[in-house]
mmCIF file of all heavy atoms in Angstrom:
data_model
loop_
_atom_site.group_PDB
_atom_site.id
_atom_site.type_symbol
_atom_site.label_atom_id
_atom_site.label_comp_id
_atom_site.label_asym_id
_atom_site.label_seq_id
_atom_site.Cartn_x
_atom_site.Cartn_y
_atom_site.Cartn_z
ATOM 1 N N TYR A 1 67.904 67.021 118.152
ATOM 2 C CA TYR A 1 69.216 66.339 118.113
ATOM 3 C C TYR A 1 69.630 65.728 119.459
ATOM 4 O O TYR A 1 70.595 64.998 119.495
ATOM 5 C CB TYR A 1 70.292 67.310 117.632
ATOM 6 C CG TYR A 1 70.250 67.553 116.149
ATOM 7 C CD1 TYR A 1 69.474 68.566 115.586
ATOM 8 C CD2 TYR A 1 71.016 66.749 115.294
ATOM 9 C CE1 TYR A 1 69.476 68.781 114.216
ATOM 10 C CE2 TYR A 1 70.984 66.976 113.930
ATOM 11 C CZ TYR A 1 70.224 67.983 113.399
ATOM 12 O OH TYR A 1 70.184 68.179 112.051
ATOM 13 N N GLY A 2 68.957 66.113 120.526
ATOM 14 C CA GLY A 2 69.408 65.696 121.869
ATOM 15 C C GLY A 2 70.541 66.584 122.318
ATOM 16 O O GLY A 2 70.968 67.474 121.593
ATOM 17 N N PRO A 3 71.081 66.334 123.502
ATOM 18 C CA PRO A 3 72.124 67.176 124.036
ATOM 19 C C PRO A 3 73.481 66.953 123.321
ATOM 20 O O PRO A 3 73.662 65.920 122.676
ATOM 21 C CB PRO A 3 72.217 66.752 125.503
ATOM 22 C CG PRO A 3 71.725 65.320 125.499
ATOM 23 C CD PRO A 3 70.664 65.269 124.440
ATOM 24 N N GLY A 4 74.353 67.951 123.414
ATOM 25 C CA GLY A 4 75.712 67.760 122.906
ATOM 26 C C GLY A 4 76.064 68.534 121.689
ATOM 27 O O GLY A 4 77.244 68.696 121.331
ATOM 28 N N ARG A 5 75.052 69.000 120.964
ATOM 29 C CA ARG A 5 75.331 69.735 119.707
ATOM 30 C C ARG A 5 76.067 71.058 119.978
ATOM 31 O O ARG A 5 77.063 71.370 119.313
ATOM 32 C CB ARG A 5 74.039 69.983 118.956
ATOM 33 C CG ARG A 5 74.276 70.610 117.578
ATOM 34 C CD ARG A 5 72.971 70.634 116.767
ATOM 35 N NE ARG A 5 73.114 71.421 115.540
ATOM 36 C CZ ARG A 5 72.755 70.995 114.356
ATOM 37 N NH1 ARG A 5 72.240 69.808 114.186
ATOM 38 N NH2 ARG A 5 72.891 71.790 113.297
ATOM 39 N N GLY A 6 75.582 71.799 120.960
ATOM 40 C CA GLY A 6 76.262 73.052 121.305
ATOM 41 C C GLY A 6 77.705 72.824 121.794
ATOM 42 O O GLY A 6 78.614 73.559 121.420
ATOM 43 N N GLU A 7 77.877 71.760 122.563
ATOM 44 C CA GLU A 7 79.216 71.439 123.103
ATOM 45 C C GLU A 7 80.156 71.099 121.939
ATOM 46 O O GLU A 7 81.332 71.498 121.942
ATOM 47 C CB GLU A 7 79.127 70.294 124.082
ATOM 48 C CG GLU A 7 78.537 70.638 125.405
ATOM 49 C CD GLU A 7 77.016 70.586 125.427
ATOM 50 O OE1 GLU A 7 76.408 70.470 124.332
ATOM 51 O OE2 GLU A 7 76.408 70.738 126.502
ATOM 52 N N LEU A 8 79.648 70.376 120.945
ATOM 53 C CA LEU A 8 80.471 70.007 119.794
ATOM 54 C C LEU A 8 80.908 71.248 119.015
ATOM 55 O O LEU A 8 82.101 71.402 118.638
ATOM 56 C CB LEU A 8 79.715 69.053 118.855
ATOM 57 C CG LEU A 8 80.396 68.695 117.564
ATOM 58 C CD1 LEU A 8 81.717 68.005 117.779
ATOM 59 C CD2 LEU A 8 79.469 67.825 116.678
ATOM 60 N N ALA A 9 79.938 72.166 118.793
ATOM 61 C CA ALA A 9 80.261 73.414 118.099
ATOM 62 C C ALA A 9 81.281 74.249 118.828
ATOM 63 O O ALA A 9 82.228 74.782 118.230
ATOM 64 C CB ALA A 9 78.959 74.230 117.840
ATOM 65 N N ILE A 10 81.155 74.308 120.134
ATOM 66 C CA ILE A 10 82.073 75.130 120.953
ATOM 67 C C ILE A 10 83.484 74.453 120.951
ATOM 68 O O ILE A 10 84.509 75.153 120.854
ATOM 69 C CB ILE A 10 81.560 75.310 122.391
ATOM 70 C CG1 ILE A 10 80.376 76.262 122.350
ATOM 71 C CG2 ILE A 10 82.673 75.812 123.324
ATOM 72 C CD1 ILE A 10 79.668 76.447 123.689
ATOM 73 N N LEU A 11 83.523 73.146 121.021
ATOM 74 C CA LEU A 11 84.832 72.428 120.975
ATOM 75 C C LEU A 11 85.553 72.725 119.662
ATOM 76 O O LEU A 11 86.735 73.062 119.646
ATOM 77 C CB LEU A 11 84.622 70.937 121.148
ATOM 78 C CG LEU A 11 85.860 70.046 120.923
ATOM 79 C CD1 LEU A 11 86.961 70.427 121.907
ATOM 80 C CD2 LEU A 11 85.494 68.566 121.053
ATOM 81 N N ALA A 12 84.821 72.623 118.556
ATOM 82 C CA ALA A 12 85.415 72.910 117.236
ATOM 83 C C ALA A 12 85.883 74.361 117.151
ATOM 84 O O ALA A 12 86.994 74.644 116.682
ATOM 85 C CB ALA A 12 84.431 72.612 116.140
ATOM 86 N N ALA A 13 85.066 75.268 117.631
ATOM 87 C CA ALA A 13 85.421 76.692 117.595
ATOM 88 C C ALA A 13 86.639 76.986 118.470
ATOM 89 O O ALA A 13 87.497 77.766 118.069
ATOM 90 C CB ALA A 13 84.224 77.546 118.048
ATOM 91 N N ASN A 14 86.735 76.340 119.642
ATOM 92 C CA ASN A 14 87.854 76.580 120.524
ATOM 93 C C ASN A 14 89.140 76.113 119.884
ATOM 94 O O ASN A 14 90.197 76.762 120.050
ATOM 95 C CB ASN A 14 87.641 75.853 121.850
ATOM 96 C CG ASN A 14 86.668 76.583 122.781
ATOM 97 O OD1 ASN A 14 86.403 77.774 122.583
ATOM 98 N ND2 ASN A 14 86.182 75.869 123.759
ATOM 99 N N LEU A 15 89.098 74.981 119.186
ATOM 100 C CA LEU A 15 90.327 74.505 118.503
ATOM 101 C C LEU A 15 90.780 75.548 117.455
ATOM 102 O O LEU A 15 91.985 75.833 117.334
ATOM 103 C CB LEU A 15 90.048 73.151 117.838
ATOM 104 C CG LEU A 15 89.841 71.978 118.770
ATOM 105 C CD1 LEU A 15 89.367 70.767 118.026
ATOM 106 C CD2 LEU A 15 91.116 71.672 119.538
ATOM 107 N N VAL A 16 89.841 76.053 116.701
ATOM 108 C CA VAL A 16 90.147 77.105 115.666
ATOM 109 C C VAL A 16 90.619 78.357 116.338
ATOM 110 O O VAL A 16 91.654 78.971 115.917
ATOM 111 C CB VAL A 16 88.909 77.390 114.784
ATOM 112 C CG1 VAL A 16 89.184 78.547 113.846
ATOM 113 C CG2 VAL A 16 88.515 76.165 113.995
ATOM 114 N N SER A 17 89.933 78.767 117.386
ATOM 115 C CA SER A 17 90.322 80.016 118.079
ATOM 116 C C SER A 17 91.732 79.923 118.660
ATOM 117 O O SER A 17 92.491 80.905 118.522
ATOM 118 C CB SER A 17 89.337 80.276 119.220
ATOM 119 O OG SER A 17 89.660 81.442 119.964
ATOM 120 N N ASN A 18 92.077 78.813 119.236
ATOM 121 C CA ASN A 18 93.431 78.625 119.781
ATOM 122 C C ASN A 18 94.483 78.690 118.716
ATOM 123 O O ASN A 18 95.564 79.256 118.876
ATOM 124 C CB ASN A 18 93.544 77.305 120.545
ATOM 125 C CG ASN A 18 92.681 77.317 121.804
ATOM 126 O OD1 ASN A 18 92.326 78.346 122.314
ATOM 127 N ND2 ASN A 18 92.315 76.122 122.295
ATOM 128 N N ASP A 19 94.189 78.109 117.541
ATOM 129 C CA ASP A 19 95.126 78.143 116.430
ATOM 130 C C ASP A 19 95.332 79.554 115.921
ATOM 131 O O ASP A 19 96.437 79.996 115.660
ATOM 132 C CB ASP A 19 94.628 77.236 115.280
ATOM 133 C CG ASP A 19 95.542 77.257 114.081
ATOM 134 O OD1 ASP A 19 96.683 76.807 114.189
ATOM 135 O OD2 ASP A 19 95.062 77.705 113.012
ATOM 136 N N LEU A 20 94.207 80.292 115.808
ATOM 137 C CA LEU A 20 94.300 81.684 115.301
ATOM 138 C C LEU A 20 95.006 82.585 116.264
ATOM 139 O O LEU A 20 95.701 83.514 115.832
ATOM 140 C CB LEU A 20 92.878 82.179 114.995
ATOM 141 C CG LEU A 20 92.171 81.548 113.818
ATOM 142 C CD1 LEU A 20 90.703 81.981 113.742
ATOM 143 C CD2 LEU A 20 92.886 81.844 112.501
ATOM 144 N N GLU A 21 94.821 82.362 117.551
ATOM 145 C CA GLU A 21 95.416 83.233 118.554
ATOM 146 C C GLU A 21 96.930 83.200 118.446
ATOM 147 O O GLU A 21 97.612 84.215 118.639
ATOM 148 C CB GLU A 21 94.973 82.820 119.934
ATOM 149 C CG GLU A 21 95.341 83.856 121.014
ATOM 150 C CD GLU A 21 94.734 83.505 122.376
ATOM 151 O OE1 GLU A 21 93.660 82.847 122.429
ATOM 152 O OE2 GLU A 21 95.311 83.929 123.379
ATOM 153 N N LYS A 22 97.478 82.047 118.106
ATOM 154 C CA LYS A 22 98.937 81.912 117.901
ATOM 155 C C LYS A 22 99.411 82.785 116.739
ATOM 156 O O LYS A 22 100.595 83.112 116.636
ATOM 157 C CB LYS A 22 99.287 80.454 117.629
ATOM 158 C CG LYS A 22 98.990 79.523 118.762
ATOM 159 C CD LYS A 22 99.180 78.065 118.357
ATOM 160 C CE LYS A 22 98.688 77.062 119.388
ATOM 161 N NZ LYS A 22 98.743 75.674 118.917
ATOM 162 N N LYS A 23 98.498 83.109 115.814
ATOM 163 C CA LYS A 23 98.795 83.900 114.640
ATOM 164 C C LYS A 23 98.314 85.332 114.803
ATOM 165 O O LYS A 23 98.167 86.065 113.823
ATOM 166 C CB LYS A 23 98.187 83.264 113.402
ATOM 167 C CG LYS A 23 98.771 81.856 113.191
ATOM 168 C CD LYS A 23 97.843 80.919 112.438
ATOM 169 C CE LYS A 23 98.449 79.510 112.347
ATOM 170 N NZ LYS A 23 97.553 78.541 111.752
ATOM 171 N N ASP A 24 98.033 85.733 116.057
ATOM 172 C CA ASP A 24 97.584 87.094 116.391
ATOM 173 C C ASP A 24 96.284 87.499 115.703
ATOM 174 O O ASP A 24 96.101 88.624 115.296
ATOM 175 C CB ASP A 24 98.674 88.127 116.069
ATOM 176 C CG ASP A 24 99.915 87.935 116.928
ATOM 177 O OD1 ASP A 24 99.773 87.586 118.127
ATOM 178 O OD2 ASP A 24 101.062 88.106 116.424
ATOM 179 N N ILE A 25 95.395 86.516 115.634
ATOM 180 C CA ILE A 25 94.034 86.753 115.077
ATOM 181 C C ILE A 25 92.995 86.407 116.112
ATOM 182 O O ILE A 25 93.103 85.344 116.756
ATOM 183 C CB ILE A 25 93.806 85.923 113.806
ATOM 184 C CG1 ILE A 25 94.802 86.306 112.709
ATOM 185 C CG2 ILE A 25 92.377 86.103 113.277
ATOM 186 C CD1 ILE A 25 94.712 85.419 111.469
ATOM 187 N N PHE A 26 92.032 87.263 116.314
ATOM 188 C CA PHE A 26 90.924 87.029 117.262
ATOM 189 C C PHE A 26 89.733 86.546 116.486
ATOM 190 O O PHE A 26 89.271 87.131 115.544
ATOM 191 C CB PHE A 26 90.581 88.308 118.026
ATOM 192 C CG PHE A 26 89.372 88.185 118.923
ATOM 193 C CD1 PHE A 26 89.332 87.188 119.879
ATOM 194 C CD2 PHE A 26 88.312 89.069 118.809
ATOM 195 C CE1 PHE A 26 88.194 87.064 120.698
ATOM 196 C CE2 PHE A 26 87.204 88.963 119.657
ATOM 197 C CZ PHE A 26 87.143 87.955 120.596
ATOM 198 N N LEU A 27 89.232 85.372 116.898
ATOM 199 C CA LEU A 27 87.985 84.813 116.324
ATOM 200 C C LEU A 27 86.801 85.393 117.050
ATOM 201 O O LEU A 27 86.527 85.047 118.195
ATOM 202 C CB LEU A 27 87.981 83.277 116.434
ATOM 203 C CG LEU A 27 86.768 82.577 115.858
ATOM 204 C CD1 LEU A 27 86.694 82.769 114.310
ATOM 205 C CD2 LEU A 27 86.791 81.065 116.167
ATOM 206 N N VAL A 28 86.080 86.321 116.397
ATOM 207 C CA VAL A 28 84.968 86.997 117.025
ATOM 208 C C VAL A 28 83.775 86.029 117.116
ATOM 209 O O VAL A 28 83.137 85.902 118.153
ATOM 210 C CB VAL A 28 84.562 88.252 116.214
ATOM 211 C CG1 VAL A 28 83.379 88.933 116.832
ATOM 212 C CG2 VAL A 28 85.733 89.228 116.132
#
C-alpha cells in the first residue's frame, strides 16, 4: 500500500478515542 496506512488508522482511532474519553470510556 505504500506509506501512510498506519498513520490513517491511528488518526481514525484517535478521533474515536477522544470522543469516548469525554464519555468516560477508555479505548483499549
Side-chain angles (χ1 to χ4, degrees):
Y1 283 89
R5 185 170 171 132
E7 287 83 351
L8 175 60
I10 289 175
L11 173 59
N14 283 343
L15 291 171
V16 173
S17 177
N18 292 339
D19 178 65
L20 291 173
E21 192 172 333
K22 298 172 188 174
K23 298 154 184 175
D24 295 322
I25 298 173
F26 174 54
L27 180 64
V28 179

